[in-house]
C-alpha cells in the first residue's frame, strides 16, 4: 500500500530518471555557445545572439525514450535588428549557409515552418531546431521567420520566447526560492562561489517542472505508435500546467490539481466557441489554433488528459502493491524507466537497512526513515 509521501518520492525519482544529466546539459550549452561563436565570427556585418527556448530554457527536458533518439535543442538565432533583410533572405540566404558551414551535416537540413532542423555528425546526441529572428525593440518582442510551405511564401511574425520563460518561472518563483535555499544549506561549500542561475537551471526543479516532465513522458509513451500527428504538443501541456499551478510544494498535489482542472479550464477559455490557449507572453497568439482546423487533435488531447488523470492521479495508486506499482510505472513511463527507478529504490532500501535508517512505521505498516521498528539486515537484492 502506498501513501502520498511514497508516491511523491516515486514521482520525484521517475522525473530524475528521465531528466537530462548534468553532463549532457553542459554539452548542450557548450554546443549552442560554440554555434553562436561560429556565427558571430562569420557575420561581421551583423550583431547576433543565440539562446535556448523551449524545454532547455524551461528546465523541462525529457530524455528520449530510446538510445536511438536524440535531444531536441531549440535555439533562437536573433539578429540585433532587421538589417534590411526580408524573411526569406534572413532564413535562406544568411542563416542556411552559416548552419551548413558550422559542421559536417549528416543529411540535408530540413526547412521547417519556423526553423531549420539540422543534425550534425559531430553531435550525435542532439539535433538543433534553429529559429531565425530579429529584435523588434519598439514592440519589445522578436520577429521570427514563418514559411508558408503550400505557397512558398516567407514572412515575419511576432514572438516572445524569452518572455515566456520569464512568465513560466514567475509561476513557480516561491517554490524555486524555497528549493534553492534548501540546496544551498546542504551545499554550504559552494555558496560563496556559486553561479546561482546555473544552480537553478541544473539542480533546482520545482513541482511544476517535475509535473511537466512526467506528463510529457506519459504522452510520449501513450503516443509512441501513433503517426497521425495528433500527439499533444509540449507548449500546450506546459502552458496549461503553469496556468493551473498553485505553488503546491509537492508533485502529487500539483499533478492532481492540474489534471483535474485542465478540461474545464480549456473549455472556459474558448472564444466564439473555438479553442483558445493564449501565449501568456505574446497576447493574440493562440497555441491551440490547429485544434480548430483539426478537431481530432483536441479529441486526442482530452483523451490523453483523461488517461493521465487515471494513471497519475487516481485513487487506485494508493491501493497498489509494489509489483503492481512497478508494472504501472513501466506502462506509463516506459519499461527502461520502470526498471531503473525500482532497481535504484531496491539498492537505496538495502543500504538504509544496513545502516539502520530504514524502519517500519507501526501506525501504517509503511517502510520509511520516520518509522520506529528496525528492519533486520537480510540478503535481499543479490547480496
Amino acid at each position: 500500500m502506498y501513501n502520498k509521501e511514497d508516491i511523491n518520492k516515486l514521482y520525484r525519482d521517475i522525473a530524475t530518471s528521465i531528466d537530462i544529466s548534468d553532463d549532457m546539459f553542459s554539452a548542450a550549452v557548450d554546443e549552442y555557445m560554440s554555434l553562436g561563436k561560429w556565427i558571430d565570427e562569420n557575420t561581421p556585418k551583423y550583431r547576433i545572439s543565440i539562446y535556448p527556448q523551449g524545454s532547455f530554457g524551461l528546465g523541462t527536458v525529457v530524455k528520449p525514450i530510446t538510445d536511438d533518439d536524440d535531444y531536441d535543442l531549440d535555439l533562437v538565432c536573433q539578429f540585433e535588428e532587421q538589417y534590411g533583410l526580408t524573411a526569406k533572405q534572413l532564413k535562406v540566404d544568411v542563416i542556411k549557409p552559416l548552419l551548413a558551414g558550422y559542421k559536417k551535416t549528416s543529411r540535408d537540413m530540413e526547412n521547417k515552418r519556423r526553423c531549420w532542423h539540422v543534425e550534425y555528425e559531430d553531435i550525435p546526441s542532439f539535433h538543433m531546431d534553429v529559429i531565425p529572428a530579429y529584435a523588434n525593440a519598439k514592440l519589445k518582442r522578436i520577429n521570427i521567420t514563418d514559411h508558408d510551405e503550400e505557397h512558398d511564401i516567407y514572412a515575419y511574425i511576432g514572438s516572445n520566447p524569452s518572455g515566456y520563460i520569464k512568465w513560466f518561472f514567475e509561476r513557480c518563483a516561491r517554490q524555486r526560492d524555497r528549493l534553492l535555499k534548501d540546496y544551498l544549506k546542504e551545499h554550504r561549500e559552494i555558496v560563496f562561489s556559486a553561479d546561482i542561475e546555473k544552480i537553478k537551471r541544473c539542480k533546482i526543479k520545482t513541482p511544476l517542472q517535475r509535473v511537466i516532465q512526467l506528463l510529457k513522458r506519459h504522452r510520449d509513451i501513450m503516443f509512441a505508435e501513433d503517426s497521425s500527428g495528433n500527439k499533444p504538443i509540449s507548449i500546450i501541456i506546459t502552458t496549461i500546467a503553469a496556468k493551473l499551478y498553485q505553488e503546491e510544494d509537492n508533485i502529487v498535489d500539483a499533478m492532481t490539481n492540474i489534471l483535474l482542472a485542465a478540461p474545464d479550464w480549456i473549455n472556459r477559455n474558448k472564444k466564439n466557441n473555438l479553442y483558445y490557449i493564449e501565449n501568456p507572453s505574446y497576447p493574440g497568439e493562440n497555441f491551440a489554433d490547429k485544434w480548430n482546423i483539426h478537431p481530432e487533435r483536441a479529441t486526442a488531447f482530452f483523451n490523453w488528459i483523461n488517461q493521465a488523470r487515471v494513471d497519475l492521479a487516481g485513487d487506485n495508486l494508493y491501493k497498489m502493491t509494489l509489483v503492481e506499482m512497478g508494472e504501472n510505472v513501466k506502462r506509463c513511463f516506459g519499461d527502461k524507466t520502470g526498471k531503473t527507478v525500482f532497481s535504484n529504490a531496491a539498492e537505496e532500501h538495502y543500504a538504509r537497512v544496513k545502516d539502520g535508517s530504514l524502519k517500519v512505521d507501526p501506525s501504517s505498516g509503511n517502510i520509511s526513515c520516520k518509522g520506529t521498528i528496525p528492519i533486520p539486515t537480510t540478503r535481499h537484492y543479490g547480496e
Side-chain angles (χ1 to χ4, degrees), residues 284-298:
E285 181 178 7
N286 178 15
F287 289 142
D289 57 348
K290 296 293 177 57
W291 288 11
N292 301 309
I293 303 171
H294 305 284
E296 63 274 12
R297 297 187 185 183

Side-chain angles (χ1 to χ4, degrees), residues 13 53 148 178 225 248 258 270 335 349 356 359 376:
D13 291 345
Q53 65 150 4
D148 179 345
R178 176 184 66 82
E225 305 300 326
E248 293 91 344
I258 288 168
K270 283 183 176 180
D335 189 70
H349 281 193
K359 299 179 175 65

Side-chain angles (χ1 to χ4, degrees), residues 25 31 58 96 105 123 127 129 146 183 191 205 213 218 234 238 258 274 310 318 354 362 373 378:
F25 184 88
E31 203 52 60
L58 298 169
K96 182 180 180 181
T105 55
I123 318 171
H127 66 258
D129 287 339
D146 183 73
Y183 180 86
V191 171
K205 297 288 185 180
Q213 288 179 305
H218 183 276
S234 295
T238 301
I258 288 168
L274 296 175
V310 173
Y318 298 93
K354 289 184 70 174
I373 302 175
T378 65

Side-chain angles (χ1 to χ4, degrees), residues 239-240 243-244 261-270 276-277:
T239 302
I240 293 174
K243 284 280 188 180
L244 296 175
D264 287 341
W265 183 89
I266 293 170
N267 286 315
R268 284 200 316 272
N269 281 274
K270 283 183 176 180
Y276 194 86
I277 299 174

Side-chain angles (χ1 to χ4, degrees), residues 171-172 175 206-208 241-248 254 258:
R171 296 294 303 153
C172 53
Q175 291 302 327
T206 65
L208 173 59
K243 284 280 188 180
L244 296 175
Y245 183 56
Q246 300 173 42
E247 289 280 9
E248 293 91 344
I258 288 168

Side-chain angles (χ1 to χ4, degrees), residues 314-329:
D315 291 339
N316 60 305
L317 294 171
Y318 298 93
K319 303 173 185 177
M320 289 183 179
T321 65
L322 181 65
V323 172
E324 290 170 338
M325 183 60 79
E327 291 302 312
N328 187 62
V329 169

Side-chain angles (χ1 to χ4, degrees), residues 328-346:
N328 187 62
V329 169
K330 287 192 285 186
R331 180 177 60 82
C332 293
F333 300 105
D335 189 70
K336 182 178 179 180
T337 298
K339 289 178 179 178
T340 298
V341 168
F342 279 88
S343 176
N344 291 342

